[in-house]
Amino acid sequence: MASYFRLFVSVLAVIQGVLAAVTFTVPKQAHTGSYKYAPLDPAPVGISFEFFAFPSYFTNVSATNQCLSNWKDLSGVWPPIRIGGTTQDRAQYDSKTSAYVVYSVSSPADAPASLTFGSSFLTLAGSYGGSVVVGLNRGKNQIQNTISAAKIAVAEVKNLLAVELGNEPEYYSRNGQPIASGSWSPAIDAASQNNWDISVGSAVDKRPIIQAGNSNDSPPTWGAAELIATENATVKQYVKTYAHHNYPGGSVTSLMSHKSISSNLHVFDADVAAALKEGKPYVFGETNSVSGGGAAAVSPTFGAALWTMDYVLRASYSNISRTYFHHGTVGNCQYCFWGRYSMGAPYYGAYAATALLAKASYLTALDDGSNNYAAYVSFDSNGAPLRALLYNSDYFSGSGTRSSQSFQLQGLSGSSVKAKRLTADSAASRVDQGGKVTFGGQTFTDGDCKIAGSESIETLEVSNGQATATLKASEALLVYLQ
Ligand SMILES: *[C@@H]1O[C@H](CO)[C@@H](O)[C@H](O)[C@H]1NC(C)=O
Ligand SMILES: *[C@@H]1O[C@H](CO)[C@@H](O)[C@H](O)[C@H]1NC(C)=O
Ligand SMILES: *[C@@H]1O[C@H](CO)[C@@H](O)[C@H](O)[C@H]1NC(C)=O
């Protein structure tokens, strides 16, 4: 009897799991209904390269160009890049060296404690087809050296979007940076940034040219609103964008949870609003799953790939124009999307997000971020729905039964829609350890990032404007509405 009862309960749970669909209505047109709509950058998904490692990525890691160009194939534009990080504040420009970078490290896994770079570093940055942000040194307090580098950046980087003056200045004191000797605080840093913005901006004779902010501690302290309040009109004319860094951290389960992603992004709402009020874009200039190069048990997993996808979409929906995912030391980088020899699972999440946003002008979220199930819709320049992305962020570890959730989309037209699934054996799957992650049935090859395998497209029937899709725990589905 007891076992029959257990069977009955588990059958009921399975039936409920399938029947209790989450329902979303796709607006017929952008800017209608009670939804919020974010205008989209042509390429919201970007890459940040750690300053000293940038030349290696572009000259000695074959996957780099192909991984970036795969997104260009979707979007029509090269993804934006930012070059910077902790080593930008350890780097000095050397007009005499012909090398990209000069440094020594005791192990290839290390980042250099100090380095120099030549004008060829900036010429290399100028050869990139997408927009480029170059992070320069403020920590060493050698403004003439930074001005010399900024002049070369302006001359050599044809797609230069902005230069940063310092990286994560809240850590300058702790890191023994000369500019913070004496005392250091958000107010002192803001005064320093403002003076440097004017000095460097006027020396290169460009307005606006500065990506300001660049802190990592959670706002409001060290945030954009706080910085903007200290700026007068002279400073503001040099500021192109406001940037913040973000590494949410946590376990795979907490990281990939849609509810936690949504709350994490609300931390930035006031800063985003403050930047937009100035008519300036707000960006995540450097971000990834876990700080310090990533966590081995978290950052390389498929769960982190799902975080990457949902995080950049929620950021874009929150009016964060561009999100630059950081890439550190080649060969010692848990969260990297690709390396010299292997792909990382997170690339697939970024790819799926790029596929939703490609050639779109607006993005909305159909969910309120209060549970594990997300739905986004992108719109074309005429405001017509282009694609939808559904995400079941329930965690599946790989053992036990994998639950599923049905998503019902309403307000559709036509008799069917096509879809591509982002999936893996579990949230724990790691491409770098032989796990298989697929998007629309396809993979990206280790070492060269070429798309491989045959494409698998699903068809969802539409009747009375409704279509239902079933997503297993830890899966996403991209639905093509045109
Ligand atoms: C390229 O990478 C290989 C393998 O790690 C390394 O031995 C070599 O020094 C690198 N070359 C350059 C120019 O960075
Ligand atoms: C604006 O602020 C800068 C420092 O942030 C200062 O040097 C400059 O004099 C100020 N300009 C005006 C017009 O107040
Ligand atoms: C994003 O900005 C647009 C205006 O461009 C606004 O209508 C929308 O509400 C903002 N989104 C959020 C989530 O605040």
Side-chain angles (χ1 to χ4, degrees):
M1 192 63 202
S3 69
Y4 277 115
F5 181 71
R6 264 201 302 276
L7 181 67
F8 174 73
V9 169
S10 58
V11 167
L12 196 69
V14 168
I15 291 170
Q16 274 177 341
V18 175
L19 288 187
V22 286
T23 301
F24 297 107
T25 302
V26 175
K28 293 253 178 288
Q29 183 71 26
H31 304 116
T32 62
S34 56
Y35 301 116
K36 289 178 174 171
Y37 297 84
L40 288 171
D41 187 87
V45 187
I47 300 288
S48 166
F49 294 100
E50 181 60 44
F51 192 93
F52 84 95
F54 158 72
S56 291
Y57 275 103
F58 276 79
T59 62
N60 202 14
V61 178
S62 317
T64 301
N65 188 64
Q66 188 64 45
C67 278
L68 296 167
S69 118
N70 291 339
W71 296 350
K72 177 178 178 277
D73 290 346
L74 297 171
S75 306
V77 289
W78 287 95
I81 65 166
R82 172 260 188 177
I83 302 163
T86 306
T87 58
Q88 88 186 54
D89 279 309
R90 299 177 183 173
Q92 292 265 271
Y93 173 61
D94 176 359
S95 64
K96 299 202 177 58
T97 183
S98 61
Y100 298 121
V101 276
V102 179
Y103 61 83
S104 65
V105 283
S106 47
S107 145
D110 293 345
S114 74
L115 67 148
T116 58
F117 63 100
S119 61
S120 58
F121 182 100
L122 294 159
T123 308
L124 181 64
S127 69
Y128 183 60
S131 76
V132 180
V133 172
V134 176
L136 299 175
N137 195 320
R138 186 162 50 100
K140 285 193 189 292
N141 203 14
Q142 300 206 2
I143 197 164
Q144 287 315 322
N145 187 272
T146 294
I147 286 174
S148 302
K151 285 182 172 168
I152 309 291
V154 166
E156 292 293 308
V157 186
K158 64 179 183 303
N159 293 327
L160 184 69
L161 184 88
V163 297
E164 294 174 6
L165 300 172
N167 176 77
E168 300 179 359
E170 65 269 48
Y171 309 134
Y172 279 172
S173 255
R174 178 206 296 181
N175 294 341
Q177 286 286 8
I179 202 162
S181 63
S183 55
W184 197 243
S185 66
I188 297 170
D189 170 60
S192 157
Q193 289 209 27
N194 296 343
N195 288 328
W196 279 60
D197 292 355
I198 295 171
S199 301
V200 177
S202 58
V204 300
D205 196 21
K206 281 226 178 255
R207 321 170 178 80
I209 187 66
I210 307 295
Q211 178 148 298
N214 310 303
S215 283
N216 180 57
D217 276 2
S218 290
T221 312
W222 300 98
E226 190 183 68
L227 177 62
I228 289 165
T230 69
E231 294 174 344
N232 62 21
T234 313
V235 178
K236 283 178 183 175
Q237 67 181 334
Y238 290 106
V239 178
K240 172 96 177 185
T241 45
Y242 292 92
H244 209 90
H245 298 180
N246 187 32
Y247 291 89
S251 62
V252 178
T253 324
S254 70
L255 183 74
M256 66 178 272
S257 146
H258 178 60
K259 194 178 169 181
S260 357
I261 290 167
S262 179
S263 3
N264 176 241
L265 283 158
H266 281 308
V267 170
F268 301 91
D269 286 349
D271 271 10
V272 175
L276 296 187
K277 201 165 155 234
E278 299 298 321
K280 316 256 158 126
Y282 185 94
V283 305
F284 277 145
E286 184 190 309
T287 190
N288 219 319
S289 51
V290 187
S291 64
V298 176
S299 303
T301 65
F302 181 58
L306 292 166
W307 167 79
T308 303
M309 173 199 75
D310 191 30
Y311 172 72
V312 68
L313 296 179
R314 209 68 184 180
S316 303
Y317 167 65
S318 305
N319 285 320
I320 295 173
S321 302
R322 291 177 291 281
T323 297
Y324 298 84
F325 288 92
H326 198 51
H327 282 60
T329 311
V330 178
N332 182 22
C333 184
Q334 301 293 349
Y335 49 50
C336 279
F337 291 2
W338 64 86
R340 198 170 266 128
Y341 308 113
S342 173
M343 290 300 296
Y347 182 77
Y348 288 78
Y351 186 93
T354 302
L356 173 73
L357 301 173
K359 297 180 175 149
S361 296
Y362 309 100
L363 178 71
T364 192
L366 304 180
D367 68 280
D368 64 4
S370 64
N371 60 40
N372 269 356
Y373 313 116
Y376 298 93
V377 179
S378 60
F379 298 83
D380 67 18
S381 57
N382 297 318
L386 193 51
R387 301 172 204 102
L389 186 138
L390 309 174
Y391 174 35
N392 177 356
S393 76
D394 286 344
Y395 174 73
F396 178 58
S397 68
S399 65
T401 310
R402 191 170 190 171
S403 64
S404 59
Q405 175 63 47
S406 64
F407 286 66
Q408 189 184 70
L409 284 177
Q410 303 183 338
L412 304 179
S413 46
S415 58
S416 68
V417 285
K418 304 256 183 259
K420 281 195 193 185
R421 193 169 294 260
L422 176 64
T423 193
D425 286 342
S426 77
S429 296
R430 286 179 58 160
V431 173
D432 64 323
Q433 292 186 345
K436 193 172 182 188
V437 175
T438 56
F439 178 63
Q442 295 179 302
T443 59
F444 299 93
T445 54
D446 285 336
D448 61 10
C449 207
K450 293 233 165 73
I451 200 154
S454 51
E455 192 173 48
S456 154
I457 308 261
E458 301 175 28
T459 302
L460 306 178
E461 266 179 56
V462 176
S463 93
N464 298 322
Q466 301 180 1
T468 301
T470 302
L471 275 76
K472 288 183 279 187
S474 311
E475 264 191 351
L477 189 74
L478 178 64
V479 183
Y480 293 82
L481 304 175
Q482 291 186 15

